[in-house]
Amino acid sequence: MKDKIFRFLLFLAAVLILLLTAGIVYALVSRSTEAFGEYGIWSFIVNPEWDPRPATEEYGAMSFILGTLYTAFFALFLCIPFSFSVALFNGEYFKGMKISSAVRSVVDLLAGIPSIVYGLWGFYTIRPLIIDLGINAQGFGIFLSSVVLAIMIIPYASSLSTEFLSMVPNNLKEGAYSLGATRIEVIRHISIPSSLPGIVASYILALGRALGETMAVTMLIGNTDRIPQGLRDTGNTMASVIANQFGEADGFKLSSLIAIGLLLFVITAIINMIAKLIMKRVSRL
Amino acid sequence: MEGITNQNGMEPVLRFIDVSVSYTPGVYAVKNVSTAIYPNTITAVMGPSGCGKSTLLRAINRMHDLYANIKTTGQIILKGKDVLKTDPMEVRRMAGMVFQQPNPFPTMSIYDNVLAGYKLNGIKLNKEEKDEIVEDSLRNVALWNEVKDAMNKRGSFLSGGQQQRLCIARALALKPEVLLMDEPTSALDPISTNRIEELLLELRKQYSMLIVTHNMSQAARISDNSMFMYLGELVEHNNTKQMFTKPRNRRTEEYLTGVFG
Ligand SMILES: Nc1ncnc2c1ncn2[C@@H]1O[C@H](COP(=O)(O)OP(=O)(O)OP(=O)(O)O)[C@@H](O)[C@H]1O
Ligand SMILES: [Mg+2]
């Protein structure tokens, strides 16, 4: 009897979560229809104009989609050398040693720092550096956001790729060593190729995190509503424009912001799905 | 070593002089082993589980160097070179190893698996040299006819026995001085085992081989000489026929007659 009640409660919880998710999607979709209905989904996506002036009011998502992609991909690019080194350190060179678990805990600590703290640090510590380096006058922009984002996603990229690297079977590595390979050669020709799909999937997941990161980016990107003209320029990401403008928005503008939120949700979901698919295939090998 | 078959009165290809290996300080998995292996012979390494067979084999190509805690002492002379004082990479190219579980590289094609030793060592070859090495090595292990039309397929698609022959081909491609095999057929079915045994007898014309085996009839079928190890020590190393008919040591006799092990 107790067992039955418990099972019923579990079932209830599962259904509730499903309903909740469906509810969120429904709310996003229903409140985006105004914007999508006015412009058409595709025109809304590809339109780079974001003009809230009442006379010429017009909204499109392209500036923010591009802002998001620039920031996230540049952050990913910056994070690769670091997270890859961490993964090699923990998953290959010092695998199973004390020093590796120490490094691992420190890197995991990075994941626990609240986004707003990264924002503050970026604002007060990295921004002056960017100005000193002459990258741009105010320091704000894609570059600054990407640097901070890169650090934020290192733990996600490195911990998973460490797992995949350390899963490379020992008998393959020994097979390579027995042919006279050096460690570097074993890493290059055996460990990395064998774990490559998993490593790629880890980076895709990290990219997913970078796409949706809001607080720190909102504080650092400069919040301009046009297509960024390069990495030194300011801009807005899909997340940051919502965070920045939803407070004073209503009507069309609010609906457009929610539509951007829906698009971000879809993009992130697709990215995560791709990563999960790759991982599923890896674990089947 | 008296009694060991040395068909052509040649110098040993491999000598062990007082070789000991320890995983934990003070505990020896291989203890004071001294003996010699002659060219073009197959030597079976036997003994109960845990007696140090794998440990001895892996000392030869310095696999123990991969793990910081393992200490090897004594001298191992391979073709006149003191293995423990030679660059491990060079030693490993001179001593090919075949593992218990076939381990072709799953990210490489059959063709690239055969050439893996060259690729891993950064040795550049032109297409003709490559083709020649691949064909020779695969013919050597009687795999050529089975895979010549599937060169670009992954090695992991082959059957267990074919994979193991591919691994032997991969080791032979580097033209080693000796071939070290640690229970190479224990993961295989009887037919594949049979083919590998035939192959080893064929390869004896060119190579010296050490083969760890728990299968006494296998040792009797293919080996010229046999080593019997017990608790890390080399108890007896003798011509296989003599050892199976008239073992000198009581422990060897007990092992061979199945009293223990
Ligand atoms: N990595 C290791 N760390 C510590 N001790 C080890 C390790 N590998 C083997 N040993 C010990 O060394 C001794 C010899 O082991 P070895 O693997 O050489 O035996 P073996 O004769 O090959 O046995 P088997 O027939 O089971 O393969 C055993 O007592 C074993 O417990
Ligand atoms: Mg063993």
Side-chain angles (χ1 to χ4, degrees):
Chain A
M1 190 57 205
K2 257 188 186 159
D3 191 45
K4 266 196 178 151
I5 295 177
F6 188 61
R7 272 177 51 176
F8 177 73
L9 285 178
L10 281 182
F11 180 74
L12 207 68
V15 169
L16 245 140
I17 290 171
L18 278 180
L19 284 177
L20 210 66
T21 316
I24 293 173
V25 173
Y26 175 75
L28 280 176
V29 171
S30 71
R31 305 202 59 178
S32 321
T33 43
E34 202 182 337
F36 283 145
E38 171 76 14
Y39 303 113
I41 294 182
W42 185 246
S43 322
F44 178 77
I45 291 175
V46 296
N47 181 11
E49 290 302 321
W50 186 266
D51 184 359
R53 285 170 302 179
T56 52
E57 194 177 29
E58 185 185 355
Y59 301 107
M62 204 45 172
S63 299
F64 312 120
I65 294 177
L66 287 178
T68 306
L69 294 179
Y70 287 172
T71 339
F73 275 98
F74 188 48
L76 187 68
F77 172 77
L78 292 176
C79 117
I80 285 175
F82 298 97
S83 46
F84 199 61
S85 316
V86 171
L88 279 181
F89 188 97
N90 286 335
E92 173 72 42
Y93 276 85
F94 296 92
K95 182 179 168 185
M97 293 190 206
K98 276 210 187 84
I99 174 95
S100 139
S101 50
V103 170
R104 216 181 270 230
S105 343
V106 172
V107 173
D108 286 346
L109 211 65
L110 284 180
I113 299 175
S115 176
I116 184 95
V117 176
Y118 275 108
L120 285 172
W121 177 71
F123 194 97
Y124 290 108
T125 312
I126 307 299
R127 193 170 65 94
L129 278 177
I130 302 255
I131 297 172
D132 286 348
L133 286 172
I135 287 168
N136 61 24
Q138 299 294 316
F140 296 112
I142 307 277
F143 197 95
L144 175 62
S145 316
S146 296
V147 169
V148 174
L149 258 184
I151 297 166
M152 295 176 74
I153 62 175
I154 283 176
Y156 300 95
S158 67
S159 72
L160 261 172
S161 34
T162 303
E163 288 308 309
F164 284 106
L165 263 177
S166 58
M167 265 161 44
V168 176
N170 207 35
N171 72 340
L172 285 187
K173 290 196 253 177
E174 286 199 345
Y177 281 117
S178 80
L179 293 166
T182 61
R183 185 153 212 175
I184 297 283
E185 289 160 347
V186 172
I187 290 172
R188 219 181 102 202
H189 295 292
I190 307 297
S191 300
I192 292 178
S194 317
S195 52
L196 196 62
I199 294 176
V200 169
S202 331
Y203 283 110
I204 296 178
L205 279 183
L207 179 73
R209 295 236 12 132
L211 289 175
E213 174 48 44
T214 312
M215 203 58 227
V217 174
T218 308
M219 292 165 79
L220 305 172
I221 198 165
N223 312 105
T224 49
D225 303 331
R226 49 184 172 72
I227 296 179
Q229 305 299 306
L231 295 175
R232 297 155 169 249
D233 201 2
T234 53
N236 247 333
T237 65
M238 298 166 88
S240 75
V241 72
I242 299 171
N244 206 241
Q245 304 191 2
F246 86 97
E248 76 251 27
D250 51 21
F252 255 153
K253 189 175 179 189
L254 184 58
S255 175
S256 301
L257 286 173
I258 292 173
I260 290 176
L262 179 63
L263 288 175
L264 180 61
F265 172 75
V266 171
I267 294 176
T268 318
I270 291 174
I271 295 259
N272 285 339
M273 230 155 62
I274 294 173
K276 295 256 158 69
L277 270 178
I278 297 177
M279 287 197 192
K280 222 169 152 185
R281 286 195 47 184
V282 176
S283 56
R284 251 194 288 129
L285 288 178
Chain B
M1 270 261 163
E2 46 160 335
I4 298 175
T5 309
N6 175 15
Q7 288 116 330
N8 14 25
M10 291 205 265
E11 280 292 293
V13 59
L14 185 65
R15 274 195 106 89
F16 298 90
I17 304 168
D18 208 19
V19 175
S20 299
V21 183
S22 64
Y23 291 93
T24 8
V27 186
Y28 291 94
V30 165
K31 253 183 281 186
N32 308 107
V33 169
S34 297
T35 191
I37 306 288
Y38 289 91
N40 306 99
T41 57
I42 297 179
T43 305
V45 183
M46 288 182 288
S49 185
C51 69
K53 305 179 294 292
S54 301
T55 306
L56 181 69
L57 212 66
R58 291 163 63 90
I60 301 168
N61 65 342
R62 294 191 57 175
M63 290 309 266
H64 296 321
D65 285 39
L66 300 176
Y67 306 93
N69 55 319
I70 313 178
K71 294 275 171 296
T72 311
T73 56
Q75 275 182 297
I76 301 172
I77 313 285
L78 176 58
K79 272 273 168 170
K81 277 208 163 105
D82 187 343
V83 160
L84 296 177
K85 293 194 178 117
T86 310
D87 174 28
M89 315 307 156
E90 191 188 335
V91 173
R92 292 181 195 140
R93 286 192 289 270
M94 289 169 69
M97 181 164 253
V98 178
F99 297 78
Q100 185 171 4
Q101 284 295 333
N103 58 354
F105 301 127
T107 51
M108 296 183 194
S109 64
I110 293 173
Y111 187 88
D112 287 339
N113 259 286
V114 178
L115 292 169
Y118 292 90
K119 189 178 175 194
L120 285 165
N121 287 298
I123 300 170
K124 294 266 178 297
L125 299 169
N126 62 38
K127 180 87 173 79
E128 278 152 37
E129 290 170 318
K130 283 185 187 171
D131 288 349
E132 195 186 320
I133 292 172
V134 169
E135 185 171 344
D136 282 355
S137 310
L138 289 174
R139 280 194 191 283
N140 247 335
V141 298
L143 196 58
W144 176 251
N145 287 328
E146 287 156 65
V147 302
K148 66 169 185 273
D149 299 318
M151 278 297 157
N152 293 319
K153 281 217 180 116
R154 303 260 164 125
S156 39
F157 283 124
L158 299 170
S159 75
Q162 289 175 321
Q163 288 188 24
Q164 196 61 302
R165 278 184 281 151
L166 179 59
C167 292
I168 298 174
R170 179 176 78 186
L172 294 181
L174 283 170
K175 314 225 169 355
E177 303 294 340
V178 287
L179 200 53
L180 313 171
M181 291 172 281
D182 196 347
E183 305 185 44
T185 61
S186 67
L188 305 181
D189 62 278
I191 295 171
S192 309
T193 299
N194 212 343
R195 299 209 55 173
I196 301 241
E197 287 180 8
E198 282 169 15
L199 167 67
L200 298 184
L201 288 171
E202 196 56 37
L203 288 173
R204 183 172 55 175
K205 291 174 191 155
Q206 304 169 58
Y207 295 95
S208 327
M209 287 165 268
L210 269 86
I211 175 169
V212 173
T213 178
H214 280 286
N215 181 336
M216 283 178 238
S217 52
Q218 177 170 65
R221 276 194 301 270
I222 63 170
S223 72
D224 304 292
N225 301 313
S226 290
M227 293 163 85
F228 175 69
M229 294 182 70
Y230 185 66
L231 295 177
E233 293 182 59
L234 177 59
V235 173
E236 190 165 345
H237 186 180
N238 206 343
N239 174 289
T240 299
K241 275 212 189 72
Q242 276 179 37
M243 184 137 124
F244 274 71
T245 48
K246 255 199 284 167
R248 285 186 289 215
N249 188 287
R250 183 177 54 83
R251 289 215 187 280
T252 317
E253 184 171 0
E254 283 174 358
Y255 181 74
L256 292 175
T257 52
V259 176
F260 73 85

